[in-house]
Amino acid sequence: MEQQKLPNVTIALVLGILSFLCCICSSGIGGIIMGAIAFYLTTKDEKAYRVSPDNYSNYSQLKTAKIVAIIGLVLGVLTLLYTIYVIQQMGGIDGYMEKVQEMMGQYGIEE
């Protein structure tokens, strides 16, 4: 019987890598979402592999994708917690918005 590839490995790997970038660009929320989706897809493929391991050939890529997804998920959570901490240190959301307005005024950006 010819071996086939697990169906979600490539997309899970791409989502795991994108979760790193989304951690930076979206204060952790994007990283959490992308990492969680990638982790779900790898878990789903892992269950299919356990049922019939002789049918699939790319299990090593699945393990890599799962590790990348977990790292992206953890970094997303840490980034989100740090963002919440920083906002709290500025005096809550009102203090944060005042700081943003002040910085916009320094750069000559008016609303």
Side-chain angles (χ1 to χ4, degrees):
M1 184 173 182
E2 185 178 327
Q3 289 186 331
Q4 54 188 355
K5 294 184 182 252
L6 290 161
N8 298 319
V9 172
T10 305
I11 190 69
L13 191 56
V14 169
L15 286 172
I17 293 169
L18 284 175
S19 71
F20 291 131
L21 300 174
C22 290
C23 285
I24 298 167
C25 299
S26 66
S27 300
I29 296 171
I32 293 171
I33 292 170
M34 298 282 186
I37 293 170
F39 185 74
Y40 171 75
L41 292 174
T42 57
T43 304
K44 186 175 157 184
D45 274 359
E46 198 169 35
K47 288 178 185 175
Y49 179 80
R50 285 187 184 148
V51 170
S52 57
D54 296 333
N55 292 342
Y56 301 107
S57 64
N58 60 343
Y59 185 69
S60 62
Q61 287 179 331
L62 178 70
K63 291 192 300 187
T64 303
K66 190 170 187 176
I67 290 169
V68 170
I70 290 170
I71 292 171
L73 192 58
V74 169
L75 286 177
V77 168
L78 291 176
T79 305
L80 181 62
L81 291 174
Y82 179 73
T83 302
I84 292 170
Y85 172 75
V86 167
I87 289 173
Q88 286 294 346
Q89 292 300 315
M90 289 182 177
I93 196 70
D94 293 330
Y96 173 75
M97 292 307 291
E98 287 177 19
K99 192 70 155 170
V100 168
Q101 291 294 329
E102 180 184 315
M103 290 177 68
M104 287 175 64
Q106 289 176 353
Y107 290 111
I109 302 170
E110 299 292 329
E111 270 192 37

